């Protein structure tokens, strides 16, 4: 299957700082990438859909000014958590699709801890 | 009504038994159906995809799709302790984003 690389795999940051998470499709061009958040023992929650060259589409309740998404190329999307707070601590996962009717390939996930 | 529904479990089966995981979806126009496995602390990994009615087998896994009943299932034969994980059903609706169920936790007892 296609490979999606997510970096970093874990990060600890101080409250009030910003953290950037990268999601790269290594062997295919991903016109669409998705960002999810998952709290312990809970299901995946879609945060936003990222389309190359256009603004991301955010799910209801997700603050677009807090979670900045950039999809500058067909192989890279970034999620920046701005002014992070302890309640933002979670497991963030990206996925990419080669076309809209195929399976999603997931990155390894990033565990964010805000102290 | 949730778009993709799964029993949260936990589903507990003895080693060597068949584990049966079920999923229903709401959009009749859905075209693609997937099962993902997620170990604790890890991201989901695709284990099966199915696009047409009937059964699809891959090793110990069999996916079953019934579009008329809006139902998709996953059977795991000869269950092993290493199969213990959360299984996510996912449905791609009308070419738009993939919708995930909340997942079913499976425990395989040695």
């Amino acid at each position: 299957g296609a490979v999606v690389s997510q970096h970093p795999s874990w990060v600890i940051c101080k409250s009030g700082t910003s953290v950037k998470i990268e999601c790269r499709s290594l062997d295919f061009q991903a016109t669409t990438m998705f960002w999810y958040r998952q709290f312990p023992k809970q299901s995946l929650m879609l945060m936003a859909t990222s389309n190359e060259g256009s603004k991301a589409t955010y799910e209801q309740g997700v603050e677009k000014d807090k979670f900045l998404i950039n999809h500058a190329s067909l192989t890279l999307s970034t999620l920046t958590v701005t002014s992070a707070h302890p309640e933002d601590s979670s497991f963030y996962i990206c996925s990419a699709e080669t076309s809209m009717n195929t399976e999603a390939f997931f990155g390894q996930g990033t565990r964010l801890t805000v102290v | 009504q949730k778009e993709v529904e799964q029993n949260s479990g936990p589903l507990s089966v003895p080693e060597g038994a068949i584990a049966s995981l079920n999923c229903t979806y709401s959009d009749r126009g859905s075209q693609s159906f997937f099962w993902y496995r997620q170990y604790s602390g890890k991201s989901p990994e695709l284990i099966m995809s199915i696009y047409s009615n009937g059964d699809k087998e891959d090793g110990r896994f069999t996916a079953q799709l019934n579009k008329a009943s809006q139902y998709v299932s996953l059977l795991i034969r000869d269950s092993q302790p290493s199969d213990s994980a959360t299984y996510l059903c996912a449905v791609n609706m009308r070419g738009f984003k993939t919708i995930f169920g909340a997942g079913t936790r499976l425990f395989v007892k040695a």
Side-chain angles (χ1 to χ4, degrees):
Chain A
V3 179
V4 176
S5 177
Q6 190 173 339
H7 178 81
S9 56
W10 61 270
V11 58
I12 301 173
C13 71
K14 290 185 177 180
S15 187
T17 62
S18 296
V19 174
K20 179 184 284 189
I21 302 170
E22 292 188 348
C23 180
R24 294 181 183 273
S25 55
L26 298 185
D27 52 1
F28 66 99
Q29 292 184 331
T31 53
T32 305
M33 291 186 175
F34 303 88
W35 287 95
Y36 297 86
R37 180 168 53 181
Q38 188 175 38
F39 293 106
K41 298 187 178 181
Q42 295 189 20
S43 61
L44 288 172
M45 291 175 49
L46 179 66
M47 299 175 66
T49 303
S50 168
N51 293 296
E52 185 267 337
S54 63
K55 291 183 178 180
T57 302
Y58 290 82
E59 295 300 301
Q60 191 173 12
V62 178
E63 300 175 59
K64 61 181 180 181
D65 294 330
K66 179 170 183 62
F67 298 100
L68 302 179
I69 292 173
N70 183 278
H71 194 159
S73 76
L74 287 171
T75 59
L76 174 63
S77 176
T78 61
L79 167 67
T80 301
V81 182
T82 64
S83 187
H85 290 283
E87 57 265 30
D88 297 324
S89 298
S90 187
F91 191 45
Y92 292 85
I93 312 172
C94 72
S95 75
E97 297 182 4
T98 55
S99 67
M100 294 307 287
N101 279 321
T102 63
E103 58 268 36
F105 298 98
F106 285 89
Q108 303 94 319
T110 297
R111 185 158 302 284
L112 170 64
T113 301
V114 184
V115 297
Chain B
Q1 182 188 5
K2 293 181 181 177
E3 292 174 293
V4 179
E5 291 205 56
Q6 294 181 254
N7 187 319
S8 63
L11 172 65
S12 184
V13 300
E15 184 175 0
I18 296 175
S20 178
L21 306 164
N22 305 314
C23 171
T24 58
Y25 59 94
S26 60
D27 189 338
R28 285 194 172 275
S30 299
Q31 299 169 323
S32 309
F33 307 86
F34 311 100
W35 283 98
Y36 288 83
R37 177 175 62 199
Q38 186 177 25
Y39 291 112
S40 181
K42 302 293 185 182
S43 65
E45 58 177 323
L46 179 70
I47 53 174
M48 288 288 286
S49 59
I50 187 166
Y51 304 96
S52 56
N53 280 327
D55 295 359
K56 179 181 178 182
E57 186 174 319
D58 183 1
R60 296 186 296 112
F61 300 99
T62 299
Q64 299 174 316
L65 175 62
N66 184 325
K67 289 187 177 181
S69 300
Q70 295 174 241
Y71 176 91
V72 58
S73 66
L74 178 70
L75 300 178
I76 306 175
R77 290 181 299 281
D78 188 24
S79 296
Q80 301 298 309
S82 59
D83 294 326
S84 298
T86 296
Y87 288 81
L88 304 172
C89 171
V91 178
N92 188 279
M93 301 185 172
R94 301 180 186 274
F96 295 104
K97 61 189 177 185
T98 299
I99 306 296
F100 287 85
T104 298
R105 285 180 293 151
L106 172 67
F107 291 110
V108 181
K109 299 173 292 184

